């Protein structure tokens, strides 16, 4: 039997299947508030996807500008989704107390202490990358900038 080597493309479908499996097993029907742990995990997933798309964008855009535009738009939308998940995390009640943190607490550097601070560190690390590779106009525009054909 010949030995096969895994390629990067082999792993993305498994990640997608794992999310689908998690959804089927862990999200019951009916109303249920999303836990902070779930929001943190989803944020980590989106930030990872953002990094993957960033790598593809940086390699592809110089060679195929039209494809690069689409990848840049997807990367920007993933960041926007991560921003919303980060905000949702800080808008959800703290376990145990039910207290909802102040909206600006994350900027203070230690809004809730460890381990809850992990999401803020991840978010701020990715925000530095976003600021280097995306313009403010791209981040706030409702138009994705897809104009090349």
């Amino acid at each position: 039997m010949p030995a096969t080597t895994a390629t990067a493309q082999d792993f993305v479908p498994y990640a997608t299947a794992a999310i689908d499996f998690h959804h089927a097993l862990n999200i019951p029907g009916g109303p249920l508030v999303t836990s902070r742990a779930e929001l943190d995990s989803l944020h980590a997933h989106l930030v990872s996807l953002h990094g993957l798309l960033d790598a593809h964008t940086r390699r592809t855009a110089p060679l195929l500008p039209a494809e690069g535009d689409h990848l840049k738009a997807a990367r920007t939308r993933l960041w926007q989704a991560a921003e919303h998940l980060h905000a949702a995390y800080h808008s959800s009640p703290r376990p145990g107390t039910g207290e909802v943190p102040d909206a600006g607490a994350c900027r203070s550097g230690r809004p809730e202490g460890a381990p809850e601070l992990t999401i803020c560190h991840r978010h701020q690390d990715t925000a530095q990358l976003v600021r280097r590779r995306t313009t403010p106009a791209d981040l706030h525009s409702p138009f994705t900038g897809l104009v090349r054909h």
Side-chain angles (χ1 to χ4, degrees), residues 27 52 71 77 89 94 101 111 116 125 129:
I27 310 296
L52 178 62
L71 292 172
R77 297 305 173 246
Y89 177 90
R94 291 179 179 165
E116 290 82 6
D125 288 346
L129 175 74

Side-chain angles (χ1 to χ4, degrees), residues 33-47:
V33 174
T34 305
S35 72
R36 292 179 124 215
E38 180 82 359
L39 292 171
D40 184 30
S41 293
L42 288 170
H43 183 270
H45 187 72
L46 282 184
V47 166

